[in-house]
Amino acid sequence: MSRHFTKTTVTSPDTLGGRLRALREAEHLSPAALARKIGIAPKYVIALETEDVHTLPNLMYARRFLLAIAKTLKTPGEELIPLLNQTWRLGMSEET
């Protein structure tokens, strides 16, 4: 049985993934281009946007990635941390 949980579409601006994607697209950046700017693998940008917590190394790294992304996209990262925490809890609770 797979222990991998993936959300394939997150479009709501009320979700972490939806907000990150909207911010990135407003800057006309691809996930790969954003990842290059902050020095992480593109899969981590995609994981945050799709709320795939199981692709991320752990919550501490996810927070660091999120804060780097927020800084690059000129948005307050502190406002996104509660959404990350909620996403992390939900993703881990849906593990099978």
Side-chain angles (χ1 to χ4, degrees), residues 5 51 53-54 86-96:
F5 173 76
E51 301 181 4
V53 299
H54 299 286
Q86 177 184 13
T87 298
W88 194 270
R89 281 191 306 275
L90 289 173
M92 290 300 179
S93 71
E94 293 185 20
E95 193 173 293
T96 58

Side-chain angles (χ1 to χ4, degrees), residues 17-80:
R19 287 189 60 186
L20 288 176
R21 184 175 181 167
L23 289 165
R24 177 183 54 76
E25 289 176 345
E27 294 293 321
H28 307 288
L29 292 170
S30 68
L34 177 57
R36 275 192 305 275
K37 282 182 168 272
I38 60 175
I40 66 172
K43 71 179 181 178
Y44 297 133
V45 172
I46 294 166
L48 285 166
E49 287 186 6
T50 60
E51 301 181 4
D52 177 10
V53 299
H54 299 286
T55 296
L56 298 162
N58 60 46
L59 183 55
M60 181 182 74
Y61 276 98
R63 285 182 181 143
R64 289 182 180 175
F65 296 159
L66 179 62
L67 291 173
I69 289 169
K71 183 177 180 180
T72 301
L73 298 177
K74 303 172 190 108
T75 195
E78 304 79 35
E79 294 177 5
L80 299 174

Side-chain angles (χ1 to χ4, degrees), residues 6-26:
T6 303
K7 283 189 177 180
T8 55
T9 57
V10 179
T11 56
S12 171
D14 297 330
T15 65
L16 176 66
R19 287 189 60 186
L20 288 176
R21 184 175 181 167
L23 289 165
R24 177 183 54 76
E25 289 176 345

